[in-house]
């Protein structure tokens, strides 16, 4: 399964698919524990290539504000309350 995920991700990147969309889909994968771990690891690596300041289309889990989440150094960061998914 890891080879399939790697090949599909590679092809999506070559075709110009949005990096944020690819990362979002990889993070949602969770049907198989091994597959889940590999896809999460791949998402963590790809997040580093998303430009800082990119707006994330999700609600902040702390302050519940929409459109306040951005990418900063590969992490999700809330501009409103300072919440970050990275520890």
């Amino acid at each position: 399964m890891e080879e399939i995920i790697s090949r599909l991700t590679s092809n999506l990147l070559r075709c110009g698919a949005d990096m944020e969309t690819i990362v979002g889909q990889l993070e949602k994968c969770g049907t198989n524990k091994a597959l889940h771990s590999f896809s999460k690891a791949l998402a963590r690596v790809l997040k580093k290539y998303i430009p800082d300041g990119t707006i994330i289309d999700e609600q902040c889990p702390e302050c519940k504000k929409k459109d306040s989440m951005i990418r900063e150094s590969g992490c999700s960061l809330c501009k409103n309350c300072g919440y970050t998914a990275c520890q």
Side-chain angles (χ1 to χ4, degrees):
M1 287 307 244
E2 290 88 356
E3 182 180 356
I4 293 168
I5 291 172
S6 299
R7 288 181 179 272
L8 288 172
T9 302
S10 176
N11 281 327
L12 286 169
L13 291 169
R14 288 182 203 169
C15 292
D18 179 52
M19 182 78 72
E20 185 67 36
T21 302
I22 295 169
V23 167
Q25 291 302 309
L26 288 170
E27 289 177 330
K28 291 178 185 176
C29 187
T31 56
N32 177 314
K33 194 169 184 94
L35 182 63
H36 178 68
S37 299
F38 180 76
S39 61
K40 287 280 191 179
L42 185 56
R44 277 193 305 271
V45 170
L46 292 176
K47 280 182 198 178
K48 295 178 182 178
Y49 296 96
I50 298 173
D52 285 351
T54 300
I55 296 172
I56 303 170
D57 187 32
E58 60 186 48
Q59 182 177 332
C60 175
E62 285 270 318
C63 67
K64 308 296 185 215
K65 188 169 180 185
K66 183 81 169 149
D67 298 328
S68 66
M69 298 293 287
I70 61 167
R71 288 279 180 209
E72 190 69 40
S73 301
C75 297
S76 301
L77 173 70
C78 179
K79 298 183 296 184
N80 189 49
C81 69
Y83 168 83
T84 183
C86 297
Q87 304 301 330

